Amino acid sequence: MEMDGSKRLFNRLGPSQQQQQGDNNNKQPKVCYHWRAGRCNRFPCPFLHRELPGPSHQQQQQQQHHGNGRMSSSSKRPHGFSDDNNRGGSGLRRNPNFNNTWGRTAGGGGAVARKMEKVCNYWVKGNCTYGNSCRYLHSWTTGDCFQLLTTLEGHQKVVTGIALPSGSDKLYSGSTDKTVRVWDCQSGQCAGVVNFDGEVGCMLSEGPWIFVGITNLVKAWNTQTGTDLSLNGPVGQVYALVVGNDMLLAGTEDGILTWKYNGSTNNFDPITALTGHTHHVVSLVVGANRLYSGSMDNSIRVWNLETLQCLQILTDHTSVVMSVLCWDQFLLSCSLDKTIKVWAANESGNLEVTYTHQEERGLLALCGMHDSEAKPVLLCSCNDNTICVYDLPSFSERGKIFSKEGVRRIEIGPAGLFFTGDESGQVRVWKWSTESSSTS
């Protein structure tokens, strides 16, 4: 388990260069908007249930040229792919043609059919007598695009946070067992345990800083200077942390709290509380100078990071919004309602659902990253103890990762590494394979 902390990836991944489909010729038949969103129930439908021909090569070049924006310098958490050059409305650019490729394979067909796989329980315990003839999987993965490097054992309860601070050779993991464990990146051994009075609900690394959200408190320490601070204000558990517009923002049981670092006092000064959610705020992401917050009230709120005012409330999910992330000009969200929703800005600048991906189980976490060939992929944790890995934007399945219990945290590391933390207390280290090729 070797990681060069000085070369850590900060998840500043540029927007993808996908072939944008669509046609500006108004004389052509209209494609059904509801079919694109995956929810057309009209039969017969007066509009097309297929895509129109793609743009010319010159149009593609122009679209790709205009799509190469600078990445957001917000958070190190697995929420990359945001573009901070966009300032209108929701903060996401309007590009109505791009949604044509959501949920479509390279050949223009439907989503890839998924096989039902199951890991052999006897193999997990080390006593399966069937060997290669066993009808169940003797592997923690399907597909050949990633491999398990090591498993870090020690936590007794759910892993709720994973952090790898800049310039450090240590990996930090937090759990509801009220501890943060420090792992040596060279040996994979536990180098220390920090005990807290409350459960760890989340963690965030930003430069050399590590922030730990616990019950009624946010702890902050600088791994380079040794500074140890306590940020008061939260009421109840802190579930999510993110950095945006030089502020630290925390999702809590009682709304969203904000702090700003004061260099003269070497402390974080409280700014204000963002209120409006009627239940716990459990997920946060920053993109394009906007804050997006997911809540147990089943909604997502869009906030202006300059004025700290709520701009829009998204209510299409029917259960807890467990995770949100920004990719290119889109917002992606997942929920216990078994759906991943893709949001794009409409003509008025407000976000609306442009595609819905249906899963068979409730969803726990999303992570956007690039594979070994620099192609965008989505890791989607489900509450059936699996992580589905999809190409974007087609949602073609690359493979699955299995775990003993549900994975609550996925974090990106350097050099093709990523980390998962599950409800059993295990932290696993994975690496993208350089020998595999994309299925898209």
Side-chain angles (χ1 to χ4, degrees):
M1 178 183 170
E2 295 184 358
M3 293 177 287
D4 183 356
S6 64
K7 297 181 180 179
R8 178 173 183 259
L9 297 184
F10 291 109
N11 208 14
R12 307 295 195 251
L13 306 179
S16 63
Q17 295 182 346
Q18 300 293 330
Q19 286 190 339
Q20 301 180 359
Q21 299 180 0
D23 199 310
N24 295 325
N25 188 347
N26 294 328
K27 296 181 180 180
Q28 289 189 297
K30 184 178 180 181
V31 178
C32 175
Y33 173 83
H34 299 286
W35 172 77
R36 285 175 173 167
R39 58 171 183 260
C40 181
N41 56 12
R42 292 179 291 186
F43 183 81
C45 180
F47 303 108
L48 291 180
H49 279 204
R50 63 178 175 84
E51 299 296 353
L52 296 175
S56 66
H57 178 68
Q58 181 180 3
Q59 288 173 320
Q60 290 175 356
Q61 287 181 327
Q62 292 173 345
Q63 291 167 341
Q64 290 175 353
H65 172 74
H66 291 296
N68 289 332
R70 179 173 57 86
M71 291 308 301
S72 168
S73 59
S74 57
S75 172
K76 308 300 188 297
R77 296 193 64 195
H79 304 303
F81 309 129
S82 61
D83 181 346
D84 358 99
N85 288 328
N86 313 311
R87 303 301 184 197
S90 64
L92 303 179
R93 289 175 299 179
R94 181 179 180 271
N95 193 340
N97 292 328
F98 198 83
N99 64 4
N100 295 356
T101 56
W102 284 105
R104 311 284 184 255
T105 63
V112 175
R114 298 192 300 274
K115 297 180 180 180
M116 295 299 292
E117 302 100 347
K118 183 179 180 181
V119 176
C120 173
N121 290 328
Y122 295 98
W123 172 79
V124 171
K125 298 176 182 178
N127 57 7
C128 180
T129 59
Y130 287 95
N132 293 334
S133 63
C134 182
R135 60 184 294 188
Y136 298 108
L137 291 173
H138 283 198
S139 171
W140 290 110
T141 67
T142 62
D144 60 352
C145 49
F146 33 68
Q147 56 182 317
L148 175 63
L149 296 185
T150 190
T151 300
L152 307 179
E153 305 271 5
H155 285 297
Q156 303 302 309
K157 294 184 179 180
V158 183
V159 176
T160 53
I162 301 172
L164 184 64
S166 174
S168 174
D169 62 351
K170 300 294 190 295
L171 178 74
Y172 297 76
S173 60
S175 167
T176 57
D177 64 9
K178 301 183 180 181
T179 69
V180 167
R181 286 184 171 263
V182 186
W183 307 91
D184 185 275
C185 293
Q186 302 302 320
S187 66
Q189 300 299 309
C190 183
V193 179
V194 182
N195 294 287
F196 293 98
D197 293 332
E199 295 183 351
V200 175
C202 57
M203 294 180 68
L204 171 69
S205 60
E206 182 72 19
W209 287 94
I210 292 181
F211 302 97
V212 183
I214 58 177
T215 309
N216 301 321
L217 192 69
V218 173
K219 292 291 293 184
W221 71 76
N222 190 307
T223 57
Q224 293 180 358
T225 66
T227 302
D228 187 348
L229 305 173
S230 295
L231 282 57
N232 297 303
V235 176
Q237 185 64 58
V238 178
Y239 294 102
L241 291 164
V242 73
V243 169
N245 195 26
D246 296 326
M247 293 182 294
L248 174 68
L249 304 105
T252 73
E253 292 185 14
D254 196 34
I256 303 169
L257 298 181
T258 61
W259 296 267
K260 199 156 191 172
Y261 182 70
N262 187 330
S264 60
T265 62
N266 194 30
N267 207 340
F268 288 84
D269 297 332
I271 303 175
T272 187
L274 309 185
T275 59
H277 282 294
T278 58
H279 217 313
H280 306 345
V281 177
V282 296
S283 54
L284 297 173
V285 69
V286 167
N289 206 35
R290 298 289 185 266
L291 170 70
Y292 304 91
S293 57
S295 170
M296 291 179 67
D297 65 12
N298 307 345
S299 75
I300 301 170
R301 285 182 173 251
V302 183
W303 309 83
N304 185 312
L305 278 180
E306 296 290 343
T307 64
L308 299 181
Q309 299 299 309
C310 182
L311 302 175
Q312 188 181 0
I313 305 174
L314 311 177
T315 59
D316 290 47
H317 281 296
T318 59
S319 188
V320 182
V321 181
M322 295 294 291
S323 184
V324 284
L325 68 85
C326 294
W327 177 64
D328 201 51
Q329 66 266 44
F330 299 97
L331 175 73
L332 281 71
S333 60
C334 75
S335 168
L336 294 181
D337 66 10
K338 305 179 184 180
T339 66
I340 301 173
K341 292 188 181 294
V342 181
W343 307 79
N346 58 23
E347 291 182 354
S348 65
N350 289 324
L351 291 180
E352 61 182 23
V353 175
T354 189
Y355 176 71
T356 298
H357 176 80
Q358 187 76 41
E359 286 286 348
E360 298 172 355
R361 299 289 187 270
L363 300 163
L364 302 176
L366 297 178
C367 175
M369 61 185 300
H370 285 170
D371 66 8
S372 58
E373 297 179 344
K375 296 179 179 179
V377 292
L378 180 70
L379 280 69
C380 170
S381 173
C382 305
N383 63 8
D384 62 351
N385 306 342
T386 65
I387 298 175
C388 295
V389 183
Y390 297 111
D391 282 315
L392 290 181
S394 68
F395 273 92
S396 299
E397 187 175 300
R398 297 282 295 273
K400 283 186 178 179
I401 295 174
F402 302 91
S403 60
K404 287 187 175 181
E405 296 187 29
V407 171
R408 289 301 185 103
R409 284 294 181 267
I410 310 172
E411 179 71 32
I412 300 171
L417 295 179
F418 63 97
F419 311 93
T420 59
D422 68 22
E423 294 171 353
S424 74
Q426 284 190 345
V427 177
R428 288 179 170 177
V429 184
W430 304 87
K431 185 177 179 63
W432 280 96
S433 172
T434 57
E435 298 178 358
S436 64
S437 58
S438 173
T439 59
S440 64

Coordinates of all heavy atoms in Angstrom, one line a residue, residues 292-365:
Y292 N -24.8 22.6 -2.8 CA -26.0 21.7 -3.0 C -26.1 20.8 -1.7 O -25.1 20.2 -1.4 CB -25.9 20.9 -4.2 CG -25.6 21.7 -5.5 CD1 -24.4 22.0 -5.9 CD2 -26.7 22.2 -6.2 CE1 -24.2 22.8 -7.1 CE2 -26.5 22.9 -7.4 CZ -25.2 23.2 -7.8 OH -25.0 24.0 -8.9
S293 N -27.2 20.8 -1.1 CA -27.4 20.1 0.2 C -28.5 19.1 0.1 O -29.6 19.4 -0.4 CB -27.7 21.1 1.3 OG -28.8 21.9 1.1
G294 N -28.2 17.8 0.4 CA -29.2 16.8 0.4 C -29.6 16.5 1.8 O -28.8 16.5 2.8
S295 N -30.9 16.1 2.0 CA -31.4 16.0 3.4 C -32.3 14.8 3.6 O -32.8 14.2 2.6 CB -32.2 17.3 3.7 OG -32.9 17.2 4.9
M296 N -32.6 14.5 4.8 CA -33.5 13.5 5.2 C -35.0 14.0 5.0 O -35.9 13.2 5.1 CB -33.3 13.1 6.6 CG -32.0 12.3 6.9 SD -31.7 11.8 8.6 CE -33.1 10.6 8.8
D297 N -35.2 15.2 4.6 CA -36.5 15.7 4.2 C -36.8 15.4 2.8 O -37.8 15.9 2.2 CB -36.7 17.2 4.6 CG -35.7 18.1 3.7 OD1 -35.1 17.6 2.8 OD2 -35.6 19.3 4.1
N298 N -35.9 14.6 2.1 CA -36.1 14.2 0.7 C -35.8 15.2 -0.3 O -36.1 15.0 -1.5 CB -37.5 13.6 0.5 CG -37.9 12.5 1.4 OD1 -37.0 12.0 2.2 ND2 -39.1 12.1 1.5
S299 N -35.3 16.4 0.1 CA -35.1 17.5 -0.9 C -33.6 17.8 -1.0 O -32.7 17.4 -0.2 CB -35.8 18.7 -0.4 OG -35.1 19.3 0.7
I300 N -33.3 18.5 -2.1 CA -32.0 19.1 -2.3 C -32.2 20.6 -2.4 O -33.1 21.1 -3.1 CB -31.3 18.6 -3.6 CG1 -31.2 17.1 -3.6 CG2 -30.0 19.3 -3.9 CD1 -30.8 16.5 -5.0
R301 N -31.4 21.4 -1.7 CA -31.4 22.8 -1.8 C -30.2 23.4 -2.5 O -29.1 22.9 -2.2 CB -31.6 23.5 -0.4 CG -33.0 23.3 0.2 CD -33.2 24.0 1.5 NE -34.6 23.9 1.9 CZ -35.4 25.0 2.0 NH1 -35.0 26.2 1.7 NH2 -36.7 24.8 2.3
V302 N -30.4 24.4 -3.3 CA -29.3 25.1 -4.0 C -29.1 26.4 -3.4 O -30.0 27.2 -3.3 CB -29.7 25.2 -5.5 CG1 -28.5 25.8 -6.3 CG2 -30.1 23.9 -6.1
W303 N -27.8 26.7 -2.9 CA -27.5 27.9 -2.2 C -26.4 28.7 -3.0 O -25.5 28.1 -3.6 CB -26.9 27.6 -0.8 CG -27.7 26.6 0.0 CD1 -27.7 25.3 -0.1 CD2 -28.7 27.0 1.0 NE1 -28.6 24.7 0.8 CE2 -29.2 25.8 1.5 CE3 -29.1 28.2 1.5 CZ2 -30.2 25.7 2.5 CZ3 -30.1 28.2 2.5 CH2 -30.6 27.0 3.0
N304 N -26.6 30.0 -3.0 CA -25.5 30.9 -3.6 C -24.4 31.0 -2.5 O -24.7 31.5 -1.4 CB -26.2 32.2 -3.9 CG -25.2 33.2 -4.6 OD1 -24.1 33.3 -4.2 ND2 -25.6 33.8 -5.7
L305 N -23.2 30.7 -2.9 CA -22.1 30.8 -1.9 C -21.7 32.2 -1.6 O -20.9 32.4 -0.7 CB -20.9 29.9 -2.4 CG -21.0 28.5 -2.1 CD1 -19.8 27.7 -2.6 CD2 -21.2 28.2 -0.6
E306 N -22.1 33.2 -2.4 CA -21.7 34.6 -2.2 C -22.7 35.2 -1.2 O -22.3 35.8 -0.2 CB -21.7 35.4 -3.5 CG -20.7 34.9 -4.5 CD -19.3 35.3 -4.1 OE1 -19.1 36.1 -3.2 OE2 -18.3 34.7 -4.6
T307 N -24.0 35.0 -1.4 CA -25.0 35.6 -0.6 C -25.5 34.7 0.5 O -26.2 35.1 1.4 CB -26.2 36.0 -1.4 OG1 -26.8 34.8 -2.0 CG2 -25.8 37.0 -2.6
L308 N -25.2 33.3 0.4 CA -25.7 32.3 1.3 C -27.2 32.2 1.3 O -27.8 31.9 2.4 CB -25.1 32.5 2.7 CG -23.6 32.5 2.8 CD1 -23.1 32.7 4.2 CD2 -23.1 31.1 2.3
Q309 N -27.9 32.6 0.2 CA -29.3 32.5 0.1 C -29.7 31.3 -0.7 O -29.0 30.8 -1.6 CB -29.9 33.8 -0.6 CG -29.6 35.1 0.1 CD -30.2 35.1 1.5 OE1 -31.4 34.8 1.6 NE2 -29.4 35.4 2.5
C310 N -30.9 30.7 -0.4 CA -31.4 29.5 -1.1 C -32.0 30.0 -2.4 O -32.8 30.9 -2.4 CB -32.4 28.8 -0.2 SG -33.0 27.3 -1.0
L311 N -31.5 29.3 -3.5 CA -32.0 29.7 -4.8 C -33.1 28.8 -5.4 O -33.9 29.2 -6.2 CB -30.8 29.7 -5.8 CG -29.6 30.6 -5.5 CD1 -28.5 30.3 -6.5 CD2 -30.0 32.0 -5.5
Q312 N -33.0 27.5 -4.9 CA -34.0 26.6 -5.5 C -34.1 25.4 -4.6 O -33.1 25.0 -3.9 CB -33.6 26.1 -6.9 CG -34.6 25.3 -7.6 CD -34.1 24.8 -9.0 OE1 -33.0 25.1 -9.4 NE2 -34.9 24.1 -9.7
I313 N -35.3 24.8 -4.6 CA -35.5 23.5 -3.8 C -35.9 22.4 -4.8 O -36.9 22.6 -5.5 CB -36.6 23.7 -2.7 CG1 -36.3 24.9 -1.8 CG2 -36.8 22.5 -1.9 CD1 -37.4 25.3 -0.8
L314 N -35.2 21.3 -4.8 CA -35.4 20.2 -5.7 C -36.1 19.1 -4.9 O -35.6 18.6 -3.9 CB -34.1 19.7 -6.3 CG -33.2 20.8 -6.9 CD1 -31.9 20.2 -7.4 CD2 -33.9 21.6 -8.0
T315 N -37.3 18.7 -5.4 CA -38.2 17.8 -4.6 C -38.5 16.5 -5.3 O -39.5 15.9 -5.0 CB -39.4 18.5 -4.1 OG1 -40.1 19.0 -5.3 CG2 -39.1 19.7 -3.2
D316 N -37.7 16.1 -6.3 CA -38.1 14.9 -7.1 C -37.8 13.6 -6.4 O -38.4 12.6 -6.8 CB -37.4 15.0 -8.5 CG -37.9 16.1 -9.4 OD1 -38.0 17.2 -8.9 OD2 -38.1 15.8 -10.6
H317 N -36.9 13.6 -5.5 CA -36.7 12.4 -4.7 C -37.8 12.1 -3.7 O -38.4 13.0 -3.2 CB -35.3 12.4 -4.0 CG -34.2 12.2 -4.9 ND1 -33.9 11.0 -5.5 CD2 -33.1 13.0 -5.2 CE1 -32.8 11.0 -6.2 NE2 -32.3 12.3 -6.0
T318 N -38.1 10.8 -3.5 CA -39.1 10.5 -2.5 C -38.6 9.9 -1.2 O -39.4 9.4 -0.4 CB -40.1 9.5 -3.2 OG1 -39.4 8.3 -3.6 CG2 -40.8 10.1 -4.4
S319 N -37.3 9.9 -1.1 CA -36.7 9.4 0.2 C -35.4 10.2 0.5 O -35.1 11.1 -0.3 CB -36.4 7.9 0.2 OG -36.0 7.4 1.4
V320 N -34.7 9.8 1.5 CA -33.5 10.5 1.9 C -32.5 10.7 0.8 O -32.2 9.7 0.1 CB -32.8 9.8 3.1 CG1 -31.6 10.6 3.5 CG2 -33.8 9.6 4.2
V321 N -32.0 11.9 0.6 CA -31.0 12.2 -0.4 C -29.6 11.9 0.2 O -29.1 12.8 1.0 CB -31.1 13.6 -1.0 CG1 -30.0 13.9 -2.0 CG2 -32.4 13.9 -1.5
M322 N -29.0 10.8 -0.1 CA -27.9 10.3 0.6 C -26.6 10.9 0.1 O -25.6 11.1 0.9 CB -27.8 8.8 0.5 CG -28.9 8.1 1.2 SD -28.9 8.3 3.0 CE -27.4 7.4 3.5
S323 N -26.5 11.3 -1.2 CA -25.2 11.8 -1.7 C -25.5 12.7 -2.9 O -26.5 12.4 -3.7 CB -24.3 10.6 -2.1 OG -23.1 11.0 -2.6
V324 N -24.7 13.7 -3.1 CA -24.8 14.6 -4.2 C -23.4 14.9 -4.7 O -22.4 14.9 -4.0 CB -25.4 16.0 -3.9 CG1 -26.9 15.8 -3.7 CG2 -24.9 16.5 -2.6
L325 N -23.2 15.0 -6.1 CA -21.9 15.4 -6.6 C -22.1 16.1 -7.9 O -23.2 16.1 -8.5 CB -21.0 14.1 -6.9 CG -21.4 13.1 -7.9 CD1 -20.9 13.5 -9.3 CD2 -20.8 11.7 -7.5
C326 N -21.1 16.9 -8.4 CA -21.2 17.6 -9.6 C -20.3 17.0 -10.6 O -19.1 16.6 -10.3 CB -20.7 19.1 -9.4 SG -21.8 20.0 -8.3
W327 N -20.8 16.8 -11.8 CA -19.9 16.3 -12.9 C -20.3 17.1 -14.2 O -21.4 17.3 -14.6 CB -20.2 14.9 -13.2 CG -19.4 14.4 -14.4 CD1 -18.1 14.3 -14.5 CD2 -20.0 13.9 -15.7 NE1 -17.7 13.8 -15.7 CE2 -18.8 13.6 -16.5 CE3 -21.2 13.8 -16.2 CZ2 -19.0 13.1 -17.8 CZ3 -21.4 13.3 -17.5 CH2 -20.3 13.0 -18.2
D328 N -19.2 17.7 -14.8 CA -19.3 18.6 -15.9 C -20.4 19.6 -15.6 O -20.3 20.3 -14.6 CB -19.7 17.7 -17.2 CG -19.4 18.4 -18.5 OD1 -18.2 18.9 -18.6 OD2 -20.3 18.5 -19.3
Q329 N -21.5 19.8 -16.4 CA -22.5 20.8 -16.1 C -23.7 20.2 -15.5 O -24.8 20.8 -15.5 CB -22.9 21.6 -17.4 CG -23.6 20.7 -18.4 CD -22.7 20.2 -19.5 OE1 -21.6 19.7 -19.1 NE2 -23.1 20.2 -20.7
F330 N -23.5 19.0 -14.8 CA -24.6 18.3 -14.2 C -24.5 18.1 -12.7 O -23.4 18.1 -12.2 CB -24.8 16.9 -14.9 CG -25.1 17.0 -16.3 CD1 -24.0 16.8 -17.3 CD2 -26.3 17.2 -16.8 CE1 -24.2 16.9 -18.6 CE2 -26.6 17.3 -18.2 CZ -25.5 17.1 -19.1
L331 N -25.6 18.0 -12.0 CA -25.6 17.6 -10.7 C -26.2 16.2 -10.6 O -27.2 15.9 -11.3 CB -26.6 18.6 -9.8 CG -26.8 18.2 -8.4 CD1 -25.5 18.4 -7.6 CD2 -28.0 18.9 -7.8
L332 N -25.6 15.3 -9.9 CA -26.0 13.9 -9.7 C -26.4 13.7 -8.3 O -25.7 14.2 -7.4 CB -25.0 12.9 -10.1 CG -24.8 12.6 -11.6 CD1 -24.1 13.8 -12.3 CD2 -24.0 11.4 -11.8
S333 N -27.5 13.0 -8.0 CA -27.9 12.8 -6.6 C -28.4 11.3 -6.5 O -29.0 10.8 -7.5 CB -29.0 13.8 -6.2 OG -30.2 13.6 -7.1
C334 N -28.2 10.7 -5.4 CA -28.8 9.4 -5.1 C -29.5 9.4 -3.8 O -29.3 10.2 -2.9 CB -27.7 8.3 -5.1 SG -26.6 8.3 -3.7
S335 N -30.5 8.4 -3.8 CA -31.4 8.4 -2.6 C -31.8 7.0 -2.3 O -31.5 6.0 -3.0 CB -32.7 9.2 -3.1 OG -33.7 9.0 -2.1
L336 N -32.3 6.9 -1.1 CA -32.9 5.6 -0.6 C -34.1 5.2 -1.4 O -34.6 4.1 -1.3 CB -33.2 5.6 0.9 CG -32.0 5.8 1.8 CD1 -32.5 5.8 3.3 CD2 -31.0 4.6 1.6
D337 N -34.6 6.1 -2.3 CA -35.7 5.8 -3.2 C -35.3 4.9 -4.4 O -36.1 4.7 -5.3 CB -36.5 7.0 -3.6 CG -35.6 7.9 -4.6 OD1 -34.5 7.5 -5.0 OD2 -36.1 9.0 -4.8
K338 N -34.0 4.5 -4.4 CA -33.5 3.5 -5.4 C -33.2 4.2 -6.7 O -33.1 3.5 -7.8 CB -34.4 2.3 -5.7 CG -34.8 1.6 -4.4 CD -35.7 0.4 -4.7 CE -36.2 -0.3 -3.5 NZ -37.1 -1.4 -3.8
T339 N -33.0 5.5 -6.8 CA -32.7 6.2 -8.0 C -31.5 7.1 -7.9 O -31.2 7.6 -6.8 CB -33.9 7.1 -8.4 OG1 -34.1 8.2 -7.5 CG2 -35.2 6.3 -8.6
I340 N -30.8 7.2 -9.1 CA -29.8 8.3 -9.3 C -30.5 9.3 -10.2 O -30.9 8.9 -11.3 CB -28.5 7.7 -9.9 CG1 -27.9 6.7 -9.0 CG2 -27.5 8.9 -10.1 CD1 -26.7 6.0 -9.6
K341 N -30.5 10.5 -9.9 CA -31.1 11.5 -10.7 C -30.0 12.5 -11.3 O -29.1 12.9 -10.5 CB -32.2 12.3 -10.0 CG -33.4 11.5 -9.7 CD -34.6 12.3 -9.2 CE -35.7 11.4 -8.9 NZ -36.3 10.8 -10.1
V342 N -30.1 12.8 -12.5 CA -29.2 13.7 -13.2 C -29.9 15.0 -13.4 O -31.0 15.0 -14.1 CB -28.6 13.1 -14.5 CG1 -27.7 14.1 -15.2 CG2 -28.0 11.8 -14.3
W343 N -29.4 16.1 -12.9 CA -30.0 17.4 -13.0 C -29.2 18.3 -13.9 O -28.0 18.3 -13.9 CB -30.1 18.1 -11.6 CG -30.7 17.2 -10.6 CD1 -30.1 16.2 -9.9 CD2 -32.0 17.3 -10.0 NE1 -30.9 15.7 -8.9 CE2 -32.1 16.3 -9.0 CE3 -33.1 18.1 -10.3 CZ2 -33.3 16.1 -8.3 CZ3 -34.3 17.9 -9.6 CH2 -34.4 17.0 -8.6
A344 N -30.0 19.0 -14.8 CA -29.4 20.0 -15.7 C -30.2 21.3 -15.7 O -31.4 21.3 -15.3 CB -29.3 19.5 -17.1
A345 N -29.5 22.4 -16.0 CA -30.2 23.7 -16.0 C -31.1 23.8 -17.2 O -30.7 23.5 -18.3 CB -29.2 24.8 -16.0
N346 N -32.3 24.3 -17.0 CA -33.2 24.6 -18.1 C -33.0 26.0 -18.6 O -32.1 26.7 -18.2 CB -34.7 24.4 -17.7 CG -35.1 25.2 -16.5 OD1 -34.5 26.3 -16.2 ND2 -36.1 24.8 -15.8
E347 N -33.9 26.5 -19.5 CA -33.7 27.8 -20.1 C -33.8 28.9 -19.1 O -33.1 30.0 -19.3 CB -34.8 28.0 -21.2 CG -34.7 27.1 -22.4 CD -35.8 27.4 -23.4 OE1 -36.7 28.2 -23.1 OE2 -35.7 26.8 -24.5
S348 N -34.5 28.7 -18.0 CA -34.6 29.8 -16.9 C -33.4 29.7 -16.0 O -33.3 30.6 -15.1 CB -35.9 29.6 -16.2 OG -35.9 28.4 -15.5
G349 N -32.6 28.7 -16.1 CA -31.4 28.6 -15.2 C -31.7 27.7 -14.0 O -30.7 27.5 -13.2
N350 N -32.9 27.2 -13.9 CA -33.2 26.3 -12.8 C -32.9 24.9 -13.1 O -32.9 24.5 -14.3 CB -34.7 26.4 -12.4 CG -35.0 27.7 -11.7 OD1 -34.2 28.3 -11.0 ND2 -36.2 28.3 -12.0
L351 N -32.6 24.1 -12.1 CA -32.3 22.7 -12.3 C -33.6 21.8 -12.5 O -34.5 22.1 -11.8 CB -31.5 22.1 -11.2 CG -30.0 22.6 -11.0 CD1 -29.4 22.0 -9.8 CD2 -29.2 22.4 -12.3
E352 N -33.5 20.9 -13.4 CA -34.6 19.9 -13.5 C -34.0 18.6 -13.9 O -32.9 18.5 -14.4 CB -35.6 20.4 -14.6 CG -35.0 20.5 -16.0 CD -36.0 21.0 -17.0 OE1 -37.0 21.6 -16.6 OE2 -35.8 20.7 -18.2
V353 N -34.7 17.5 -13.6 CA -34.2 16.2 -13.9 C -34.2 15.9 -15.4 O -35.2 16.1 -16.1 CB -35.1 15.1 -13.2 CG1 -34.6 13.7 -13.6 CG2 -35.1 15.3 -11.7
T354 N -33.0 15.5 -15.9 CA -32.9 15.2 -17.3 C -32.7 13.7 -17.5 O -32.8 13.3 -18.6 CB -31.6 16.0 -17.9 OG1 -31.6 15.8 -19.3 CG2 -30.3 15.4 -17.3
Y355 N -32.4 13.0 -16.5 CA -32.3 11.5 -16.6 C -32.4 10.9 -15.2 O -31.9 11.4 -14.2 CB -31.0 11.1 -17.2 CG -30.8 9.6 -17.3 CD1 -31.5 8.8 -18.2 CD2 -29.9 8.9 -16.5 CE1 -31.3 7.5 -18.3 CE2 -29.7 7.6 -16.6 CZ -30.4 6.8 -17.5 OH -30.3 5.5 -17.5
T356 N -33.1 9.8 -15.1 CA -33.2 9.0 -13.9 C -32.8 7.6 -14.1 O -33.2 6.9 -15.0 CB -34.7 9.0 -13.4 OG1 -35.1 10.3 -13.1 CG2 -34.8 8.1 -12.1
H357 N -31.8 7.2 -13.3 CA -31.3 5.8 -13.4 C -31.9 5.0 -12.2 O -31.7 5.4 -11.0 CB -29.8 5.8 -13.3 CG -29.2 4.4 -13.2 ND1 -29.0 3.6 -14.4 CD2 -28.7 3.7 -12.2 CE1 -28.5 2.5 -14.0 NE2 -28.3 2.5 -12.7
Q358 N -32.5 3.9 -12.5 CA -33.2 3.1 -11.5 C -32.3 2.0 -11.0 O -31.7 1.2 -11.9 CB -34.5 2.5 -12.0 CG -35.4 1.8 -11.0 CD -36.1 2.8 -10.1 OE1 -36.6 3.8 -10.5 NE2 -36.1 2.5 -8.8
E359 N -32.1 1.8 -9.7 CA -31.4 0.7 -9.2 C -32.4 -0.3 -8.5 O -33.6 0.1 -8.3 CB -30.4 1.1 -8.2 CG -29.1 1.7 -8.8 CD -28.2 0.7 -9.5 OE1 -28.4 -0.5 -9.2 OE2 -27.3 1.1 -10.2
E360 N -32.0 -1.4 -8.1 CA -32.8 -2.4 -7.4 C -32.8 -2.2 -5.9 O -33.7 -2.8 -5.2 CB -32.4 -3.8 -7.8 CG -32.5 -4.1 -9.3 CD -31.8 -5.5 -9.6 OE1 -31.2 -6.1 -8.7 OE2 -31.9 -5.9 -10.8
R361 N -31.9 -1.5 -5.4 CA -31.8 -1.3 -4.0 C -31.6 0.2 -3.7 O -31.3 1.0 -4.5 CB -30.6 -2.0 -3.4 CG -30.7 -3.5 -3.6 CD -31.8 -4.2 -2.7 NE -31.8 -5.6 -2.7 CZ -32.4 -6.3 -3.6 NH1 -33.2 -5.7 -4.5 NH2 -32.4 -7.6 -3.6
G362 N -31.8 0.6 -2.4 CA -31.6 2.0 -2.0 C -30.1 2.3 -2.1 O -29.2 1.4 -2.1
L363 N -29.8 3.6 -2.3 CA -28.4 4.0 -2.6 C -27.9 4.8 -1.5 O -28.6 5.6 -0.8 CB -28.5 4.9 -3.9 CG -29.0 4.2 -5.1 CD1 -29.4 5.1 -6.2 CD2 -28.0 3.2 -5.6
L364 N -26.6 4.6 -1.2 CA -25.9 5.1 0.0 C -24.9 6.2 -0.3 O -24.8 7.2 0.4 CB -25.2 4.0 0.8 CG -26.1 2.9 1.2 CD1 -25.3 1.8 1.9 CD2 -27.2 3.4 2.2
A365 N -24.2 6.1 -1.4 CA -23.1 7.0 -1.7 C -22.7 7.0 -3.2 O -22.8 6.0 -3.8 CB -21.8 6.7 -0.8

